[in-house]
C-alpha cells in the first residue's frame, strides 16, 4: 500500500462532525472515502480492526460481474462501481481487480442463465455463449463435469476483487484526504435530537449532523428502527488444493457461478499468484445457510461440510478438484427479496442506512458510498437506486 495516512486513531480533536459513519466494512469504508473526497468532516467508527474477519467482508476474494442476473436495474450502478474501483486503484496505487472472466452455467432458461442474458441484452454487455465441449477445451478445469448443465455463458469483462485490500485502500485514501478513523471502538447507542445525532462510542460521546449506519450483520441490532426485515445466515467457504494446479490458475480458469439441479448454486474463484491471497480455488454455495447472529454463529467448519464442498467441486470443475485445505465462515445478511436496502431511516431526519447486501454486495461498494454521501449531505441522490429503498417492504 503506497498511501501514507496523515491522520491517526488517536487525538481526534473535533467533537462535532458533519457525518459519522458507523461500521467500516465494505460499505462504511466506501462512504468514508466519498465523504472525505467531498470535503466533509467525517469520522468512521469500527468495533474491530480494519479488514477484520468477523463480519461479511473477509475471505480474500469476491466475484465482480456486470451481466447481473439478479436484475438489470443494478447494471448502471455496477458500471459506476467499476469506474470507482479503477479510480481507487489509481489513488492507492494498489491492484484490486483481477479480470479472469466469469463462467455461468445452468439449465436453459434457468434464473441465472435467463437473468444474465437479459441484463446483457438490455445494457449491451459482452457475453459469449459456449457449448460444453468448447468450455472444456478453453477451460480444462471443467472437463468431465457431471452436473447436468445445458447452457454456459462467459462474461470476459468480469473477475474478482480483493476485499480486505480494498477496505484498507478506501480507508487509507480517505484518511489521506482528512477523514478520521477510530478502530476497536464500539458504538453502544445513538440518539437523534432536533439539531444533531449523539453517538456513544466507547468512552466518548460524539455529536454529528448526520449519521450513516453500515453495520452489516449487526444492522438489526444497531438500527432496529429499519422497516426492512434482515436475517443473518452462516456461510461456509473452502479453498481447494487442486490435484492439477495448472488448470486452476486465474490465467487458465475463470471465476464461476453454476446453478445445480438439486441445490443452491456453487461459485468459485481461481487460484492467484498473489502471495497475500489464501492458496487454492475458493468455493462456496450461494444460498441461505443456518440462521445466526454475529455473536452465536458457529465459526468451526465441520468435516462433513468440507466433504460436501469437495464433492460439489468434483461434479462441477473436476479438473481443478482436490482436498479442501483451508476453510472459513462468513455471514450473509438477507432481506426478504434478496435486494439491498439503501435509504434514510424512516422518521429520522439525520440517519441513513445501508444493509442487507444478501451475499452479492461487495462489488457495489464505491457506488454505495456515493449514494450514502448523497443522501447524508444532500438528502437525495440522482443515482438510479430507488428500487433499493426500504419502503418497498411497507407494501408487503
Ligand atoms: C461468503 C461470502 C461470499 C460473498 N461473495 C460475494 C461476491 O462474490 N461478490 C460480491 O459482490 N459480494 C459477495 N459477498 C457479499 C459482500 O461481501 C457483502 O455484501 C459485503 O461485504 C457487506 O459489507 P457491509 O459493509 O454491509 O458489512 P461488513 O463488511 O460486515 O461491515 C459492517 C461493519 O460494521 C461494524 N460494526 C457493526 N456494528 C458496530 C458497532 N456497534 N460499532 C462499531 N462498528 C460496528 C462491523 O464490525 C463491520 O466491520 C459475499 C459475502 C460472503 C459472506
Amino acid at each position: 500500500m503506497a498511501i501514507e495516512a496523515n491522520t491517526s486513531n488517536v487525538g481526534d480533536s473535533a467533537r462535532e462532525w458533519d457525518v459519522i459513519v458507523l461500521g467500516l466494512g465494505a460499505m462504511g469504508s466506501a462512504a468514508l472515502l466519498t465523504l472525505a473526497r467531498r470535503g466533509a468532516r467525517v469520522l468512521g467508527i469500527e468495533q474491530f480492526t480494519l479488514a477484520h474477519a468477523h463480519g461479511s467482508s473477509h475471505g480474500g476474494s469476491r466475484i465482480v460481474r456486470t451481466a447481473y442476473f439478479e436484475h438489470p436495474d443494478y447494471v448502471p450502478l455496477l458500471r459506476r462501481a467499476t469506474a470507482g474501483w479503477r479510480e481507487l486503484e489509481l489513488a492507492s496505487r494498489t491492484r484490486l481487480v483481477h479480470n479472469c472472466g466469469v463462467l455461468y452455467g445452468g439449465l436453459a432458461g434457468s434464473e441465472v442463465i435467463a437473468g444474465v442474458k437479459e441484463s446483457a441484452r438490455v445494457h449491451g454487455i459482452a457475453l459469449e455463449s459456449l457449448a460444453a465441449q468448447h468450455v472444456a477445451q478453453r477451460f480444462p478445469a471443467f472437463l468431465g463435469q457431471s452436473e447436468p448443465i445445458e447452457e454456459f455463458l462467459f462474461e470476459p469483462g468480469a473477475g474478482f476483487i480483493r476485499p480486505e485490500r480494498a477496505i484498507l485502500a478506501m480507508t487509507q485514501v480517505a484518511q489521506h484526504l482528512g477523514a478520521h478513523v477510530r478502530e476497536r471502538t464500539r458504538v453502544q447507542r445513538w440518539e437523534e435530537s432536533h439539531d444533531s445525532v449523539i453517538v456513544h462510542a466507547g468512552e466518548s460521546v460524539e455529536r454529528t449532523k448526520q449519521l450513516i449506519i453500515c453495520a452489516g450483520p449487526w444492522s438489526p441490532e444497531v438500527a432496529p428502527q429499519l422497516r426492512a426485515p434482515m436475517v443473518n445466515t452462516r456461510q461456509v467457504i473452502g479453498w481447494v488444493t487442486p490435484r492439477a494446479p495448472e488448470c486452476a490458475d486465474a490465467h487458465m480458469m475463470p471465476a464461476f457461478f453454476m446453478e445445480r439441479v438439486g441445490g443452491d448454486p456453487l461459485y468459485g474463484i481461481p487460484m492467484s499468484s498473489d502471495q497475500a491471497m489464501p492458496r487454492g480455488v475458493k468455493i462456496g454455495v450461494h444460498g441461505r445457510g443456518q440462521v445466526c447472529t454475529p455473536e452465536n454463529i458457529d465459526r468451526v467448519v465441520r468435516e462433513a461440510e468440507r466433504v460436501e464442498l469437495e464433492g460439489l467441486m468434483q461434479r462441477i470443475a473436476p479438473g481443478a478438484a482436490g482436498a479442501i485445505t483451508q476453510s472459513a465462515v462468513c455471514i450473509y445478511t438477507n432481506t426478504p427479496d434478496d435486494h439491498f436496502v439503501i435509504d434514510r431511516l424512516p422518521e429520522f431526519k439525520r440517519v441513513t442506512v445501508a444493509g442487507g447486501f444478501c451475499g452479492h454486495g461487495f462489488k457495489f461498494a464505491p457506488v454505495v458510498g456515493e449514494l450514502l454521501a448523497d443522501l447524508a449531505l444532500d438528502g437525495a441522490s440522482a443515482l438510479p437506486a430507488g428500487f433499493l429503498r426500504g419502503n418497498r417492504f411497507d407494501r408487503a
Side-chain angles (χ1 to χ4, degrees):
M1 174 66 57
I3 289 284
E4 285 290 320
N6 67 355
T7 54
S8 74
N9 249 353
V10 289
D12 300 336
S13 56
R15 283 289 178 270
E16 177 132 10
W17 305 93
D18 292 329
V19 188
I20 287 181
V21 180
L22 188 167
L24 294 178
M27 308 308 164
S29 301
L32 188 86
L33 174 56
T34 312
L35 290 160
R37 281 185 176 140
R38 294 189 190 174
R41 279 160 57 82
V42 57
L43 168 66
I45 304 177
E46 169 53 50
Q47 62 183 339
F48 301 114
T49 52
L50 295 173
H52 63 83
H54 307 288
S56 299
S57 296
H58 58 283
S61 54
R62 291 288 185 271
I63 294 176
V64 291
R65 52 192 167 86
T66 307
Y68 222 57
F69 68 82
E70 288 86 345
H71 203 284
D73 285 357
Y74 281 104
V75 175
L77 300 176
L78 282 164
R79 287 190 160 143
R80 199 155 176 123
T82 304
W85 290 127
R86 261 190 233 115
E87 201 180 329
L88 178 63
E89 286 184 316
L90 289 174
S92 62
R93 282 179 269 160
T94 307
R95 182 166 183 209
L96 301 170
V97 178
H98 299 250
N99 288 111
C100 57
V102 171
L103 182 67
Y104 307 91
L107 296 180
S110 68
E111 184 194 345
V112 171
I113 294 298
V116 167
K117 281 183 177 170
E118 178 63 1
S119 272
R121 185 190 65 77
V122 172
H123 295 285
I125 299 163
L127 201 62
E128 296 172 35
S129 183
L130 299 177
Q133 73 267 27
H134 294 137
V135 169
Q137 276 162 11
R138 190 155 155 193
F139 308 120
F142 299 96
L143 181 66
Q145 182 174 81
S146 55
E147 184 68 26
I149 289 179
E150 294 174 345
E151 208 167 341
F152 292 95
L153 300 168
F154 180 61
E155 184 185 344
F160 66 91
I161 186 164
R162 306 283 319 278
E164 293 91 345
R165 197 176 272 181
I167 287 171
L168 293 175
M170 290 189 282
T171 48
Q172 290 185 10
V173 175
Q175 287 178 94
H176 192 68
L177 295 170
H180 289 243
V181 167
R182 215 171 285 161
E183 296 177 70
R184 296 190 188 87
T185 304
R186 187 162 178 276
V187 173
Q188 298 97 337
R189 64 193 167 91
W190 57 268
E191 64 246 353
E192 189 181 89
S193 69
H194 69 286
D195 64 349
S196 59
V197 182
I198 307 297
V199 176
H200 300 260
E203 300 295 300
S204 72
V205 178
E206 306 289 335
R207 184 181 290 273
T208 180
K209 290 181 191 138
Q210 292 288 329
L211 172 66
I212 294 178
I213 298 177
C214 298
W218 289 265
S219 302
E221 170 192 321
V222 178
Q225 304 85 346
L226 252 183
R227 286 195 190 130
M230 291 184 189
V231 174
N232 291 318
T233 66
R234 175 178 177 270
Q235 303 293 327
V236 174
I237 43 181
W239 283 266
V240 175
T241 298
R243 288 186 290 272
E246 66 282 2
C247 297
D249 185 84
H251 299 292
M252 285 296 287
M253 182 182 181
F256 64 88
F257 194 96
M258 300 281 174
E259 283 184 307
R260 295 187 297 127
V261 170
D264 292 318
L266 184 79
Y267 64 85
I269 298 175
M271 298 206 301
S272 158
S273 54
D274 188 335
Q275 295 299 319
M277 279 180 75
R279 294 301 294 157
V281 179
K282 179 180 161 182
I283 57 170
V285 171
H286 182 64
R288 292 189 181 204
Q290 199 182 356
V291 173
C292 66
T293 68
E295 283 70 39
N296 72 12
I297 186 171
D298 180 0
R299 295 196 184 262
V300 177
V301 176
R302 312 281 157 195
E303 180 58 19
E305 293 174 317
R306 269 192 286 272
V307 168
E308 189 187 346
L309 282 176
E310 286 169 3
L312 294 178
M313 187 67 174
Q314 182 63 39
R315 284 174 69 78
I316 284 178
I324 297 227
T325 45
Q326 221 180 315
S327 55
V329 168
C330 197
I331 305 174
Y332 279 6
T333 304
N334 289 91
T335 61
D337 61 8
D338 283 336
H339 298 298
F340 320 148
V341 174
I342 302 169
D343 209 346
R344 308 278 294 189
L345 202 55
E347 288 138 35
F348 290 82
K349 289 198 175 68
R350 300 174 178 276
V351 186
T352 306
V353 183
F357 286 94
C358 306
H360 63 108
F362 195 91
K363 62 185 84 59
F364 291 86
V367 73
V368 173
E370 283 190 73
L371 274 160
L372 291 170
D374 290 347
L375 293 173
L377 297 180
D378 309 329
S381 178
L383 290 166
F387 68 107
L388 301 175
R389 292 199 58 190
N391 64 2
R392 68 184 187 272
F393 296 108
D394 294 352
R395 298 186 293 273

